[in-house]
Amino acid sequence: EAWVKLDDYISSGNPQVIYAMGMGPAYLRVNSDEKLYFSTYCSSSCGGSSNQYLTGSTALVPGVWYHVAAVFSESQDSMAVYLNGTLDGNATLPSSYNLHSYSSYDYIGRGNSFFGTYYFDGLIDEVRVSYTARTSIQLTTIISIYNWTHPAVVSVRVNVQ
C-alpha cells in the first residue's frame, strides 16, 4: 500500500509502476486509463494462466493524492485493489495458484522485468509491504488516521487492534 499522486495523465500505453516485487511476480501499476492495475505471476502448475491481471474501476486524476493498496491471498484464492480504503476491483484465483518467488530486489516507482521498467511519473509516499493480507476495514482505519490533505508534516502512531 502507498500514497500516490500522478503528475500528469499517462500518454503512452505502458503502465507506470508503483511497486514491483522482485523480477515481476507481483506489480501494482497505473495503466493508460489511469486505473490501478495489479498483476501477478505464479509458479508452474497454476491451474490456469500463469499470469493474473486485475484492473480497478476508478480513474485517478493527476494532482490528487490517493491511498492505494493491492492484496494477494493464496489461502483465500483472491486478489484485490483498494482506492482510499474502498474496494476498487477484485478477482478469484485458481485454487492451486502460488505466487512465483524470484530472488531479486523490490522496486518502488519503477519495474524490473524483461518487458521494461515503466517509471512512475508522480510522487509515491509511505509505502508499506506486508505479508498479511489486509482487509477493507484495516485499510479504512489507516485512511481515517491520515484524514488530511497529504502530505502532512506530522507523525501519528496509533495501535489499532
Side-chain angles (χ1 to χ4, degrees):
E1 70 184 271
W3 285 93
V4 299
K5 180 173 82 167
L6 292 172
D7 279 349
D8 202 355
Y9 291 100
I10 300 171
S11 59
S12 70
N14 295 329
Q16 296 184 10
V17 175
I18 297 169
Y19 172 78
M21 180 182 191
M23 289 289 289
Y27 274 97
L28 177 59
R29 314 175 202 189
V30 179
N31 70 12
S32 59
D33 294 327
E34 285 78 33
K35 295 179 180 179
L36 293 177
Y37 180 71
F38 184 36
S39 61
T40 60
Y41 179 76
C42 78
S43 55
S44 60
S45 17
C46 303
S49 173
S50 59
N51 294 298
Q52 296 291 320
Y53 305 98
L54 171 61
T55 302
S57 60
T58 306
L60 280 63
V61 176
V64 176
W65 281 101
Y66 295 96
H67 182 265
V68 300
V71 177
F72 172 85
S73 174
E74 289 176 351
S75 64
Q76 296 178 6
D77 299 326
S78 66
M79 57 192 293
V81 291
Y82 293 86
L83 186 63
N84 294 331
T86 302
L87 182 65
D88 197 49
N90 63 335
T92 301
L93 299 170
S95 60
S96 60
Y97 196 88
N98 294 310
L99 198 61
H100 189 77
S101 61
Y102 289 109
S103 57
S104 178
Y105 299 108
D106 291 356
Y107 294 88
I108 298 169
R110 67 164 276 208
N112 182 27
S113 75
F114 302 109
F115 307 109
T117 54
Y118 309 125
Y119 291 96
F120 187 81
D121 185 18
L123 298 174
I124 302 173
D125 197 11
E126 298 183 38
V127 176
R128 181 188 341 206
V129 178
S130 173
Y131 289 100
T132 301
R134 297 186 179 280
T135 65
S136 62
I137 293 170
Q138 290 168 319
L139 293 169
T140 303
T141 302
I142 291 166
I143 295 300
S144 64
I145 293 168
Y146 295 103
N147 193 16
W148 51 69
T149 303
H150 192 80
V153 186
V154 295
S155 177
V156 177
R157 292 192 180 263
V158 177
N159 185 8
V160 179
Q161 295 288 339

